[in-house]
PDB file of all heavy atoms in Angstrom:
ATOM      1  N   ILE A  95      98.134  69.663   4.289  1.00  0.00           N
ATOM      2  CA  ILE A  95      97.330  69.206   5.429  1.00  0.00           C
ATOM      3  C   ILE A  95      97.423  67.691   5.545  1.00  0.00           C
ATOM      4  O   ILE A  95      97.344  66.971   4.539  1.00  0.00           O
ATOM      5  CB  ILE A  95      95.852  69.636   5.254  1.00  0.00           C
ATOM      6  CG1 ILE A  95      95.742  71.162   5.375  1.00  0.00           C
ATOM      7  CG2 ILE A  95      94.942  68.955   6.284  1.00  0.00           C
ATOM      8  CD1 ILE A  95      94.363  71.727   5.091  1.00  0.00           C
ATOM      9  N   ILE A  96      97.610  67.225   6.768  1.00  0.00           N
ATOM     10  CA  ILE A  96      97.595  65.783   7.027  1.00  0.00           C
ATOM     11  C   ILE A  96      96.343  65.450   7.831  1.00  0.00           C
ATOM     12  O   ILE A  96      96.106  66.050   8.890  1.00  0.00           O
ATOM     13  CB  ILE A  96      98.869  65.365   7.795  1.00  0.00           C
ATOM     14  CG1 ILE A  96     100.081  65.583   6.884  1.00  0.00           C
ATOM     15  CG2 ILE A  96      98.777  63.908   8.244  1.00  0.00           C
ATOM     16  CD1 ILE A  96     101.401  65.515   7.570  1.00  0.00           C
ATOM     17  N   ILE A  97      95.544  64.527   7.297  1.00  0.00           N
ATOM     18  CA  ILE A  97      94.359  64.086   8.043  1.00  0.00           C
ATOM     19  C   ILE A  97      94.849  63.069   9.070  1.00  0.00           C
ATOM     20  O   ILE A  97      95.060  61.895   8.745  1.00  0.00           O
ATOM     21  CB  ILE A  97      93.320  63.416   7.122  1.00  0.00           C
ATOM     22  CG1 ILE A  97      93.003  64.285   5.896  1.00  0.00           C
ATOM     23  CG2 ILE A  97      92.059  63.082   7.890  1.00  0.00           C
ATOM     24  CD1 ILE A  97      92.122  63.586   4.862  1.00  0.00           C
ATOM     25  N   ALA A  98      95.069  63.528  10.299  1.00  0.00           N
ATOM     26  CA  ALA A  98      95.638  62.644  11.323  1.00  0.00           C
ATOM     27  C   ALA A  98      94.531  61.865  12.031  1.00  0.00           C
ATOM     28  O   ALA A  98      94.558  61.683  13.245  1.00  0.00           O
ATOM     29  CB  ALA A  98      96.448  63.477  12.312  1.00  0.00           C
ATOM     30  N   CYS A  99      93.588  61.404  11.268  1.00  0.00           N
ATOM     31  CA  CYS A  99      92.404  60.718  11.790  1.00  0.00           C
ATOM     32  C   CYS A  99      92.042  59.581  10.840  1.00  0.00           C
ATOM     33  O   CYS A  99      91.788  59.814   9.650  1.00  0.00           O
ATOM     34  CB  CYS A  99      91.246  61.713  11.880  1.00  0.00           C
ATOM     35  SG  CYS A  99      89.670  60.946  12.284  1.00  0.00           S
ATOM     36  N   GLY A 100      92.018  58.360  11.384  1.00  0.00           N
ATOM     37  CA  GLY A 100      91.689  57.205  10.550  1.00  0.00           C
ATOM     38  C   GLY A 100      90.257  57.256  10.050  1.00  0.00           C
ATOM     39  O   GLY A 100      89.965  56.879   8.911  1.00  0.00           O
ATOM     40  N   THR A 101      89.353  57.732  10.891  1.00  0.00           N
ATOM     41  CA  THR A 101      87.929  57.746  10.538  1.00  0.00           C
ATOM     42  C   THR A 101      87.665  58.684   9.360  1.00  0.00           C
ATOM     43  O   THR A 101      86.974  58.305   8.397  1.00  0.00           O
ATOM     44  CB  THR A 101      87.102  58.186  11.767  1.00  0.00           C
ATOM     45  OG1 THR A 101      87.437  57.337  12.867  1.00  0.00           O
ATOM     46  CG2 THR A 101      85.627  58.112  11.496  1.00  0.00           C
ATOM     47  N   VAL A 102      88.220  59.891   9.425  1.00  0.00           N
ATOM     48  CA  VAL A 102      88.039  60.840   8.315  1.00  0.00           C
ATOM     49  C   VAL A 102      88.775  60.322   7.081  1.00  0.00           C
ATOM     50  O   VAL A 102      88.241  60.339   5.957  1.00  0.00           O
ATOM     51  CB  VAL A 102      88.549  62.251   8.718  1.00  0.00           C
ATOM     52  CG1 VAL A 102      88.532  63.198   7.525  1.00  0.00           C
ATOM     53  CG2 VAL A 102      87.682  62.815   9.843  1.00  0.00           C
ATOM     54  N   SER A 103      89.987  59.801   7.270  1.00  0.00           N
ATOM     55  CA  SER A 103      90.769  59.299   6.129  1.00  0.00           C
ATOM     56  C   SER A 103      90.053  58.169   5.399  1.00  0.00           C
ATOM     57  O   SER A 103      90.085  58.090   4.178  1.00  0.00           O
ATOM     58  CB  SER A 103      92.130  58.772   6.609  1.00  0.00           C
ATOM     59  OG  SER A 103      92.909  59.814   7.127  1.00  0.00           O
ATOM     60  N   SER A 104      89.410  57.290   6.164  1.00  0.00           N
ATOM     61  CA  SER A 104      88.821  56.110   5.528  1.00  0.00           C
ATOM     62  C   SER A 104      87.468  56.387   4.885  1.00  0.00           C
ATOM     63  O   SER A 104      87.009  55.633   4.043  1.00  0.00           O
ATOM     64  CB  SER A 104      88.677  54.971   6.549  1.00  0.00           C
ATOM     65  OG  SER A 104      87.912  55.409   7.642  1.00  0.00           O
ATOM     66  N   ASN A 105      86.829  57.471   5.289  1.00  0.00           N
ATOM     67  CA  ASN A 105      85.460  57.701   4.806  1.00  0.00           C
ATOM     68  C   ASN A 105      85.294  58.829   3.806  1.00  0.00           C
ATOM     69  O   ASN A 105      84.467  58.733   2.903  1.00  0.00           O
ATOM     70  CB  ASN A 105      84.532  57.943   6.000  1.00  0.00           C
ATOM     71  CG  ASN A 105      84.170  56.647   6.699  1.00  0.00           C
ATOM     72  OD1 ASN A 105      83.335  55.896   6.215  1.00  0.00           O
ATOM     73  ND2 ASN A 105      84.844  56.366   7.805  1.00  0.00           N
ATOM     74  N   ILE A 106      86.054  59.921   3.985  1.00  0.00           N
ATOM     75  CA  ILE A 106      85.762  61.084   3.127  1.00  0.00           C
ATOM     76  C   ILE A 106      87.021  61.733   2.572  1.00  0.00           C
ATOM     77  O   ILE A 106      86.984  62.871   2.120  1.00  0.00           O
ATOM     78  CB  ILE A 106      84.936  62.149   3.889  1.00  0.00           C
ATOM     79  CG1 ILE A 106      85.622  62.534   5.211  1.00  0.00           C
ATOM     80  CG2 ILE A 106      83.521  61.680   4.143  1.00  0.00           C
ATOM     81  CD1 ILE A 106      85.111  63.833   5.770  1.00  0.00           C
ATOM     82  N   ASP A 107      88.166  61.009   2.598  1.00  0.00           N
ATOM     83  CA  ASP A 107      89.410  61.664   2.165  1.00  0.00           C
ATOM     84  C   ASP A 107      89.352  62.108   0.700  1.00  0.00           C
ATOM     85  O   ASP A 107      89.829  63.177   0.348  1.00  0.00           O
ATOM     86  CB  ASP A 107      90.631  60.786   2.426  1.00  0.00           C
ATOM     87  CG  ASP A 107      90.703  59.610   1.477  1.00  0.00           C
ATOM     88  OD1 ASP A 107      89.683  58.918   1.331  1.00  0.00           O
ATOM     89  OD2 ASP A 107      91.762  59.410   0.871  1.00  0.00           O
ATOM     90  N   LEU A 108      88.694  61.317  -0.147  1.00  0.00           N
ATOM     91  CA  LEU A 108      88.655  61.684  -1.573  1.00  0.00           C
ATOM     92  C   LEU A 108      87.873  62.977  -1.779  1.00  0.00           C
ATOM     93  O   LEU A 108      88.282  63.853  -2.534  1.00  0.00           O
ATOM     94  CB  LEU A 108      88.052  60.555  -2.415  1.00  0.00           C
ATOM     95  CG  LEU A 108      88.940  59.308  -2.518  1.00  0.00           C
ATOM     96  CD1 LEU A 108      88.262  58.247  -3.363  1.00  0.00           C
ATOM     97  CD2 LEU A 108      90.329  59.649  -3.068  1.00  0.00           C
ATOM     98  N   ASP A 109      86.734  63.107  -1.083  1.00  0.00           N
ATOM     99  CA  ASP A 109      85.950  64.355  -1.160  1.00  0.00           C
ATOM    100  C   ASP A 109      86.812  65.534  -0.746  1.00  0.00           C
ATOM    101  O   ASP A 109      86.818  66.580  -1.394  1.00  0.00           O
ATOM    102  CB  ASP A 109      84.767  64.347  -0.180  1.00  0.00           C
ATOM    103  CG  ASP A 109      83.754  63.284  -0.514  1.00  0.00           C
ATOM    104  OD1 ASP A 109      83.942  62.618  -1.540  1.00  0.00           O
ATOM    105  OD2 ASP A 109      82.792  63.131   0.260  1.00  0.00           O
ATOM    106  N   LEU A 110      87.520  65.366   0.373  1.00  0.00           N
ATOM    107  CA  LEU A 110      88.314  66.483   0.891  1.00  0.00           C
ATOM    108  C   LEU A 110      89.434  66.838  -0.081  1.00  0.00           C
ATOM    109  O   LEU A 110      89.695  68.011  -0.350  1.00  0.00           O
ATOM    110  CB  LEU A 110      88.905  66.139   2.267  1.00  0.00           C
ATOM    111  CG  LEU A 110      87.888  65.822   3.380  1.00  0.00           C
ATOM    112  CD1 LEU A 110      88.600  65.467   4.672  1.00  0.00           C
ATOM    113  CD2 LEU A 110      86.942  67.006   3.615  1.00  0.00           C
ATOM    114  N   LYS A 111      90.085  65.808  -0.626  1.00  0.00           N
ATOM    115  CA  LYS A 111      91.198  66.056  -1.559  1.00  0.00           C
ATOM    116  C   LYS A 111      90.691  66.765  -2.817  1.00  0.00           C
ATOM    117  O   LYS A 111      91.350  67.625  -3.376  1.00  0.00           O
ATOM    118  CB  LYS A 111      91.896  64.736  -1.921  1.00  0.00           C
ATOM    119  CG  LYS A 111      92.740  64.173  -0.787  1.00  0.00           C
ATOM    120  CD  LYS A 111      93.242  62.764  -1.093  1.00  0.00           C
ATOM    121  CE  LYS A 111      94.016  62.199   0.087  1.00  0.00           C
ATOM    122  NZ  LYS A 111      94.306  60.761  -0.032  1.00  0.00           N
ATOM    123  N   ARG A 112      89.497  66.361  -3.261  1.00  0.00           N
ATOM    124  CA  ARG A 112      88.913  66.931  -4.477  1.00  0.00           C
ATOM    125  C   ARG A 112      88.454  68.374  -4.268  1.00  0.00           C
ATOM    126  O   ARG A 112      88.586  69.215  -5.142  1.00  0.00           O
ATOM    127  CB  ARG A 112      87.689  66.077  -4.866  1.00  0.00           C
ATOM    128  CG  ARG A 112      87.580  65.821  -6.365  1.00  0.00           C
ATOM    129  CD  ARG A 112      86.368  64.943  -6.661  1.00  0.00           C
ATOM    130  NE  ARG A 112      86.607  63.531  -6.410  1.00  0.00           N
ATOM    131  CZ  ARG A 112      85.784  62.736  -5.714  1.00  0.00           C
ATOM    132  NH1 ARG A 112      84.677  63.197  -5.183  1.00  0.00           N
ATOM    133  NH2 ARG A 112      86.074  61.462  -5.550  1.00  0.00           N
ATOM    134  N   ASN A 113      87.908  68.652  -3.087  1.00  0.00           N
ATOM    135  CA  ASN A 113      87.229  69.936  -2.884  1.00  0.00           C
ATOM    136  C   ASN A 113      88.095  71.068  -2.349  1.00  0.00           C
ATOM    137  O   ASN A 113      87.617  72.180  -2.183  1.00  0.00           O
ATOM    138  CB  ASN A 113      86.029  69.751  -1.943  1.00  0.00           C
ATOM    139  CG  ASN A 113      84.961  68.912  -2.616  1.00  0.00           C
ATOM    140  OD1 ASN A 113      84.884  68.881  -3.845  1.00  0.00           O
ATOM    141  ND2 ASN A 113      84.178  68.199  -1.835  1.00  0.00           N
ATOM    142  N   HIS A 114      89.346  70.771  -2.041  1.00  0.00           N
ATOM    143  CA  HIS A 114      90.202  71.845  -1.518  1.00  0.00           C
ATOM    144  C   HIS A 114      91.465  71.944  -2.363  1.00  0.00           C
ATOM    145  O   HIS A 114      92.058  70.931  -2.713  1.00  0.00           O
ATOM    146  CB  HIS A 114      90.558  71.581  -0.051  1.00  0.00           C
ATOM    147  CG  HIS A 114      89.376  71.620   0.856  1.00  0.00           C
ATOM    148  ND1 HIS A 114      88.849  72.794   1.336  1.00  0.00           N
ATOM    149  CD2 HIS A 114      88.587  70.619   1.321  1.00  0.00           C
ATOM    150  CE1 HIS A 114      87.798  72.506   2.083  1.00  0.00           C
ATOM    151  NE2 HIS A 114      87.609  71.195   2.095  1.00  0.00           N
ATOM    152  N   ASN A 115      91.831  73.189  -2.618  1.00  0.00           N
ATOM    153  CA  ASN A 115      92.954  73.427  -3.512  1.00  0.00           C
ATOM    154  C   ASN A 115      94.269  73.494  -2.733  1.00  0.00           C
ATOM    155  O   ASN A 115      94.951  74.511  -2.733  1.00  0.00           O
ATOM    156  CB  ASN A 115      92.687  74.755  -4.239  1.00  0.00           C
ATOM    157  CG  ASN A 115      93.555  74.868  -5.448  1.00  0.00           C
ATOM    158  OD1 ASN A 115      94.146  73.888  -5.889  1.00  0.00           O
ATOM    159  ND2 ASN A 115      93.676  76.093  -5.972  1.00  0.00           N
ATOM    160  N   ILE A 116      94.578  72.384  -2.064  1.00  0.00           N
ATOM    161  CA  ILE A 116      95.797  72.322  -1.250  1.00  0.00           C
ATOM    162  C   ILE A 116      96.160  70.842  -1.127  1.00  0.00           C
ATOM    163  O   ILE A 116      95.256  69.999  -1.107  1.00  0.00           O
ATOM    164  CB  ILE A 116      95.524  72.964   0.150  1.00  0.00           C
ATOM    165  CG1 ILE A 116      96.808  73.052   0.966  1.00  0.00           C
ATOM    166  CG2 ILE A 116      94.454  72.233   0.940  1.00  0.00           C
ATOM    167  CD1 ILE A 116      96.683  73.929   2.201  1.00  0.00           C
ATOM    168  N   PRO A 117      97.449  70.501  -1.081  1.00  0.00           N
ATOM    169  CA  PRO A 117      97.777  69.070  -0.922  1.00  0.00           C
ATOM    170  C   PRO A 117      97.256  68.520   0.412  1.00  0.00           C
ATOM    171  O   PRO A 117      97.493  69.119   1.466  1.00  0.00           O
ATOM    172  CB  PRO A 117      99.310  69.041  -0.950  1.00  0.00           C
ATOM    173  CG  PRO A 117      99.722  70.331  -1.565  1.00  0.00           C
ATOM    174  CD  PRO A 117      98.647  71.328  -1.252  1.00  0.00           C
ATOM    175  N   ILE A 118      96.508  67.421   0.324  1.00  0.00           N
ATOM    176  CA  ILE A 118      95.964  66.780   1.537  1.00  0.00           C
ATOM    177  C   ILE A 118      96.417  65.326   1.554  1.00  0.00           C
ATOM    178  O   ILE A 118      96.261  64.606   0.567  1.00  0.00           O
ATOM    179  CB  ILE A 118      94.413  66.856   1.559  1.00  0.00           C
ATOM    180  CG1 ILE A 118      93.969  68.327   1.618  1.00  0.00           C
ATOM    181  CG2 ILE A 118      93.846  66.093   2.740  1.00  0.00           C
ATOM    182  CD1 ILE A 118      92.453  68.537   1.704  1.00  0.00           C
ATOM    183  N   TYR A 119      97.002  64.900   2.667  1.00  0.00           N
ATOM    184  CA  TYR A 119      97.483  63.525   2.814  1.00  0.00           C
ATOM    185  C   TYR A 119      96.626  62.794   3.829  1.00  0.00           C
ATOM    186  O   TYR A 119      96.379  63.321   4.927  1.00  0.00           O
ATOM    187  CB  TYR A 119      98.934  63.509   3.315  1.00  0.00           C
ATOM    188  CG  TYR A 119      99.919  64.112   2.344  1.00  0.00           C
ATOM    189  CD1 TYR A 119     100.115  65.492   2.294  1.00  0.00           C
ATOM    190  CD2 TYR A 119     100.637  63.311   1.466  1.00  0.00           C
ATOM    191  CE1 TYR A 119     101.006  66.059   1.395  1.00  0.00           C
ATOM    192  CE2 TYR A 119     101.538  63.867   0.564  1.00  0.00           C
ATOM    193  CZ  TYR A 119     101.710  65.241   0.535  1.00  0.00           C
ATOM    194  OH  TYR A 119     102.594  65.787  -0.354  1.00  0.00           O
ATOM    195  N   ASP A 120      96.176  61.587   3.484  1.00  0.00           N
ATOM    196  CA  ASP A 120      95.427  60.807   4.467  1.00  0.00           C
ATOM    197  C   ASP A 120      96.400  59.932   5.255  1.00  0.00           C
ATOM    198  O   ASP A 120      97.515  59.684   4.819  1.00  0.00           O
ATOM    199  CB  ASP A 120      94.340  59.969   3.791  1.00  0.00           C
ATOM    200  CG  ASP A 120      94.926  58.815   3.004  1.00  0.00           C
ATOM    201  OD1 ASP A 120      95.268  59.013   1.814  1.00  0.00           O
ATOM    202  OD2 ASP A 120      95.088  57.722   3.581  1.00  0.00           O
ATOM    203  N   ILE A 121      95.947  59.456   6.403  1.00  0.00           N
ATOM    204  CA  ILE A 121      96.849  58.699   7.298  1.00  0.00           C
ATOM    205  C   ILE A 121      96.887  57.200   6.965  1.00  0.00           C
ATOM    206  O   ILE A 121      97.796  56.487   7.383  1.00  0.00           O
ATOM    207  CB  ILE A 121      96.432  58.936   8.786  1.00  0.00           C
ATOM    208  CG1 ILE A 121      97.445  58.340   9.777  1.00  0.00           C
ATOM    209  CG2 ILE A 121      95.052  58.390   9.105  1.00  0.00           C
ATOM    210  CD1 ILE A 121      98.702  59.081   9.892  1.00  0.00           C
ATOM    211  N   ILE A 122      95.921  56.729   6.163  1.00  0.00           N
ATOM    212  CA  ILE A 122      95.793  55.278   5.997  1.00  0.00           C
ATOM    213  C   ILE A 122      96.575  54.714   4.803  1.00  0.00           C
ATOM    214  O   ILE A 122      97.181  53.638   4.898  1.00  0.00           O
ATOM    215  CB  ILE A 122      94.286  54.908   5.902  1.00  0.00           C
ATOM    216  CG1 ILE A 122      93.678  55.054   7.302  1.00  0.00           C
ATOM    217  CG2 ILE A 122      94.072  53.489   5.395  1.00  0.00           C
ATOM    218  CD1 ILE A 122      92.232  54.707   7.412  1.00  0.00           C
ATOM    219  N   SER A 123      96.598  55.446   3.676  1.00  0.00           N
ATOM    220  CA  SER A 123      97.242  54.888   2.459  1.00  0.00           C
ATOM    221  C   SER A 123      98.681  54.407   2.692  1.00  0.00           C
ATOM    222  O   SER A 123      99.038  53.309   2.232  1.00  0.00           O
ATOM    223  CB  SER A 123      97.241  55.912   1.326  1.00  0.00           C
ATOM    224  OG  SER A 123      95.948  56.356   1.089  1.00  0.00           O
ATOM    225  N   PRO A 124      99.540  55.174   3.378  1.00  0.00           N
ATOM    226  CA  PRO A 124     100.911  54.692   3.562  1.00  0.00           C
ATOM    227  C   PRO A 124     100.966  53.370   4.336  1.00  0.00           C
ATOM    228  O   PRO A 124     101.808  52.512   4.052  1.00  0.00           O
ATOM    229  CB  PRO A 124     101.598  55.808   4.366  1.00  0.00           C
ATOM    230  CG  PRO A 124     100.756  57.014   4.167  1.00  0.00           C
ATOM    231  CD  PRO A 124      99.351  56.539   3.949  1.00  0.00           C
ATOM    232  N   THR A 125     100.048  53.187   5.284  1.00  0.00           N
ATOM    233  CA  THR A 125     100.053  51.939   6.072  1.00  0.00           C
ATOM    234  C   THR A 125      99.618  50.755   5.201  1.00  0.00           C
ATOM    235  O   THR A 125     100.209  49.666   5.277  1.00  0.00           O
ATOM    236  CB  THR A 125      99.134  52.086   7.318  1.00  0.00           C
ATOM    237  OG1 THR A 125      99.731  53.049   8.178  1.00  0.00           O
ATOM    238  CG2 THR A 125      98.978  50.781   8.062  1.00  0.00           C
ATOM    239  N   ILE A 126      98.623  50.955   4.359  1.00  0.00           N
ATOM    240  CA  ILE A 126      98.186  49.866   3.474  1.00  0.00           C
ATOM    241  C   ILE A 126      99.336  49.472   2.540  1.00  0.00           C
ATOM    242  O   ILE A 126      99.643  48.286   2.373  1.00  0.00           O
ATOM    243  CB  ILE A 126      96.923  50.286   2.685  1.00  0.00           C
ATOM    244  CG1 ILE A 126      95.738  50.375   3.657  1.00  0.00           C
ATOM    245  CG2 ILE A 126      96.617  49.293   1.554  1.00  0.00           C
ATOM    246  CD1 ILE A 126      94.428  50.787   3.045  1.00  0.00           C
TER     247      ILE A 126
END
Side-chain angles (χ1 to χ4, degrees):
I95 292 174
I96 294 167
I97 309 172
C99 172
T101 306
V102 173
S103 295
S104 57
N105 282 283
I106 53 162
D107 72 311
L108 291 180
D109 295 356
L110 300 179
K111 287 171 183 169
R112 221 179 280 132
N113 293 334
H114 295 279
N115 197 14
I116 186 167
I118 297 182
Y119 295 83
D120 72 273
I121 188 74
I122 287 181
S123 305
T125 293
I126 290 179

